[in-house]
Amino acid sequence: MKKLNAPENLINREMSWLEFNTRVLHEGLSDKTPLLERLKFLAIVSSNLDEFFMVRVGGLTQLAKRGERRKCPAGMTPRQQIREISKRAHEMVRAQYACLREELMPALEAKGIIRMAPQSLSAKEYDALRWYFDEEIFPILTPIAASEDVFQTLSGLTNYLAVRLKKHESSHGKGNKPSTHPEVLGLIALPRSMQRFIQVLAESGYRYVLLEDLVQDRVNAFFPGYEVLETTLFRITRNANLPLQEEEGGDLLDAMQDVLRGRLHAAPLRLEIDAHAGRIMTKRLVEALEINQRSDLYRIDGPLDLKPFMGLAAQMDFSDLRYPPYQPQPSPVMDTDEPIWDIVRREDVIIHHPYEAFQPVIQMVSEAAEDPQTIAIKQTLYRTSSNSPIIDALERAALNGKQVTVMVEVKARFDEEQNIQWANRLVEAGAQVIYGILRLKTHSKALMVVRREADGVRRYLHLATGNYNEKTAALYEDIGLITSDEDFGSDGSNFFNAVSGYSEPREWRRLAIAPTHLRRQLEEMIDREISCSTPETPGLILAKMNSLLDPEICRNLYKASQAGVKIKLCVRGICCLRPGLKGISENIEVISVVDRFLEHSRIFYFQNSGQEEIYLASADWMPRNLDRRVEIMFPIVQEAPKERVIHILKTALSDNQKAWVLNSDGSYSKRDIEPGALPIRCQEVFMKSAQEAARAWNQAKRATFQPRGPGTAPGL
Amino acid sequence: MQNQKGETVAIRNVAAIDIGSNAIRLVIAQIDADGAIHRLEDLQRSAPLGRESFSTGHITAETTNLAIEILRGFQTIMAPYNIDKLRAVTTTAVREAANQDMFLERIYMGTGLAVEVIAGSEADRLLYAAVREAFRKQNLTSKGTSLIMELGGGTAEISMYERDHVVFSGSYPLGTTRLHSALRAAHRSQSELVELINRYIGPAISVIQQSSPLDEVETVICVGGDMRFVANQLAPEAETDTLVRTFSRKDFVKFAKAIARLRVDQIVHKYILSYQDSEALVPALLTYAEVLRRTKAQTVYVPNVSMRDGMILDFVTEETGRGLDEMEEQIFSSAGFLGLHYDYDEDHAQHVADLSCQLFDLLGSTHMLGRRERRLLKVAALLHDVGNYISNRSHHKHSEYIIQASDIFGLRPQDKQIVSIVARYHRRALPKPTHLGFTTMSRTDRATISKLAAILRVADALDRSHSRKVKKINVDLRRNEIYLILGTREDLTLERLAMRTKGVLFEEVFGRKIVLQN
């Protein structure tokens, strides 16, 4: 047996992440992708990189500065990782901007979407622009003279205009000898909150001037009495100063968290600067910001900060340059006049987003809110949209006297303020709002409605892989289950009692909960697959998730591979498992699907000698999810729903259009279509089948005369 | 219960709260019209009541506040269910606290819950009911003498049964929390600790053996978290919702030895248990192993039930009458064992009990009493003479305190009080306001006691000769008299004589003079 613990058996997570972002970039580079979607993908690449630098590179840099030499599970020191990241990030950005400059911009221009230089506008247009500058821009922006202190306080991820200035001779005109004033540097911040694209009216198409182009054009207005020698746009990225994510080395990082928090104003991690910046300017900024010119300086030949281009791609009216719009379809089972409870009492319901609409989930809460038989509603809310219909329904339910309990995770990084607003609204309505468990993020998604029916109390449970957010539900691929099964109901109560602190967790009937049980159950199921695998009928594990980076799980999968178990994984993002290693992982295949919708569901399948088991989960196979968060893994029990989820998983695994194959060296290549195989693009398959199912259902509805009786709730 | 349309729905939601030594627990269950039980909620939160009361005899204000907070949380969970019946009990931890009254009063003020302090025997009865139900559901029968053992934080509850009849039940101060409090004092090596536990357990179990024949036990049934944990390890193939899991004694002893070699932190890590549970595990398993060693049992049964299931079954009995006969059988058999213990005249006692019940039934609705009171009457009749064990003089008073001080399986404290006072009044003085025991009872209870004592006296008089002359009574109820038609040819002089004094209370209570007829 080969040594399974060897670091070379694993892929470094940062490298794997860079590979993932490269796959996203590839969608942008591909001329098969519609033009505006390409622009969007390039913008996502930038936005991903921003967060990656802030969080990951930030953390690694802190470790490196402390002289930490311990290696990651894949055997790289922090310094080695930083070096490698820099190399690959430079390549990625070069490819990204080359594509933007040489392909997308000209192609967009051909379609009438044109970035205009202020100088190229007509006199009339320029006057309008100038008026806009005087009224809307000039009063807001404040130039500052750069000093050492100022550089310390520059915000991360904001575009700045750096201006080399020299006093006009004329203002000191009294003397006759030429005075030699020293050069000064002025800075103007262009906050992200300002409109980046200033539209120039056109008869057709969309012409715009970028904010930074306009400000550069009018830069003299800010510095009267000075001569402008050069202007350059730049942008820095700082450490997010989050306590480093736990995956890296466990205890080591825990011990260091306090130290890390103390260091607020470390040098920036990255400097992006306009590629046209002159030598003097570059040198001045690099020195002032203490940037390592070789590794941390990125010369950008194009607009800095592409993230706002996502908005540009979305707002314009060029539908032929986008994916044909897809309308989430009504799920046939749920699309009736029948009360949701009657349907779910008959059978468990699976909803596959975004192919099927999120509506039934909202409907479940809003029907419960108005329903006299409802006695309680309990729900976890992790990230939800502002003015969410679910919040409205919960508020109504509380006002109607139902017991409403909402578990809010305020640690969800980017939307804390928003969370607190609607949480207050719910409290005022009489709901009970509970904020997170000490030290554990509640990442699970669960909704329970308790009803008093003729034959007693019944609990309806919705469990899902995605958040209660109807906006992302139209863009993220996720799966939800609605069930009235008694064992699920009991676990639902147990779950909410535990997360709300009313009880210690009791015995679970169906759910596996992290951080207490999930990891162990996964390990046991892998072991079971090993023990029932024979050469004639090898074991089979299929799984789909966003990230796989837990070293222990990887080791278990290697053991399974050695025992002959076939393993096929569909991992959208980071994957630290190295497939295809001789004697270790040659029975493991890993693919990644990157397409129009964000693959987000987690599905785990175990063949179990023919007694197939299939689970959905809120958790990825990451230490963070398995050990530090409250997560739920739940089985699909009933036959038809079970088959459907297995089908979804197998379809995703058979994609040969948008799928990439992970190679043993950690790189990815486009999956080849096997000779004779049909092309399968799983997202298209799901869209079509949802549309067909809805169409067939509509026809069936029209073909039969349905008695339009009152809701036949068997209650009371 | 009625629904919103006013139709009667025979479904009840009931709740059982148990304030234990280590934790406070709540079960909410739904009882269907046919008596089927659905467990709706199951909650538990740790509270160190036992640790405090066993070591200092005092529950701190802090822990009392914690208990109130936990119970308030439970009330939040109960609120939407419209609980029809609720019973909240507490056992050793509170029973042994010197500030018991203060604790219970603070709970009452903080939550409105009236918590009942139950005796060990009541706890045993509840547990037995739950175990029996689990065995029945799984079609298991227990062989020979069976022993049910639950090692709690405060006590070891041990009870023994032969064919559904309790032969012995008792609580021993041998809980894991106690053990750990006693041994916590110094840091010791693992082997020293095990050695110490064994030295502590051995004599304690010998005490148990003196009062209960452990060596006759063939079936050992263990209840509680520690053994459920063992079952998870040794019988993992069973579905977790299997009610009763089993493993062999041999496997268990091997496992217990292996666990005893681990430090607490190792147990925490290896088995993902809380620190508290891990700490209790080694003493618990060693205790079980030692008890097991002294029995004949080769298999250990671990039913997944608790006292709370017994409380729920009581509700089922109240709602549907299901299981009532069995429960009464157990109470009577327990009373019989008590009688035997005090060398009672079994024939006379059983006969008086029989006659009392006949009279109770024949009086029909005139006494306005129900099945519970009939049950109490029968127990009082069975035990009315046990005071003879002390002395024949004033034996009725001895009977009163013997009953008062004994555990009778299935009787709640208040029931036992009534029984003891009824037994006291089976002869001599009539109930008087100067009699302390009697006057402390409520008006309703005083009336019940008088009625039952009146019947008991008549029944006792009918067997004055202790020769069971009267077998079957018939009654002719007139306006001012009651004719007891005794259908016997035997000479009843002695009985008539006795009735003159013993019938007085009956005349007073029921307003009818007793006339005996052959």
Side-chain angles (χ1 to χ4, degrees), chain B residues 71-113:
Chain B
L71 290 168
R72 282 193 181 146
F74 286 2
Q75 288 177 314
T76 307
I77 297 298
M78 286 191 280
Y81 288 106
N82 287 334
I83 301 295
D84 297 287
K85 293 203 166 175
L86 165 88
R87 187 176 180 201
V89 304
T90 179
T91 46
T92 39
V94 175
R95 207 161 55 215
E96 289 191 19
N99 61 340
Q100 182 195 118
D101 289 344
M102 191 59 86
F103 175 80
L104 293 174
E105 187 56 26
R106 287 227 33 225
I107 298 283
Y108 181 68
M109 291 188 301
T111 64
L113 289 171

Side-chain angles (χ1 to χ4, degrees), chain A residues 372-373 375-376 378 403 432 448 450 452-459 486-487 489-490 493-494 497 500-509 515-517 520 715-716, chain B residues 1 3-5 7 9 11 13 23 25 30 32 38-46 70 72-74 76-77 79-82 228 240-241 269-272 304 308:
Chain A
Q373 285 176 264
I375 56 180
K378 305 186 184 205
Q403 187 178 65
Q432 192 184 15
M448 184 169 76
V450 186
R452 181 183 283 270
E453 299 179 353
D455 52 356
V457 170
R458 193 179 286 265
R459 287 168 287 207
E486 197 170 325
D487 288 338
S490 164
S493 286
N494 192 3
N497 290 340
S500 51
Y502 288 119
S503 175
E504 288 142 24
R506 313 293 284 143
E507 278 167 30
W508 303 100
R509 300 192 195 170
T516 49
H517 294 76
R520 178 152 300 205
L716 311 186
Chain B
M1 185 170 86
N3 65 20
Q4 287 159 345
K5 289 180 195 159
E7 297 155 357
V9 182
I11 290 173
N13 288 341
R25 303 176 174 91
Q30 171 184 317
D32 292 350
H38 305 269
R39 193 181 267 231
L40 298 176
E41 300 272 354
D42 181 359
L43 289 89
Q44 163 176 335
R45 272 184 73 188
S46 302
I70 293 172
R72 282 193 181 146
F74 286 2
T76 307
I77 297 298
Y81 288 106
N82 287 334
R228 278 205 296 277
T240 38
D241 53 356
H269 192 76
K270 181 160 184 198
Y271 295 104
I272 322 182
N304 191 9
R308 294 174 299 289

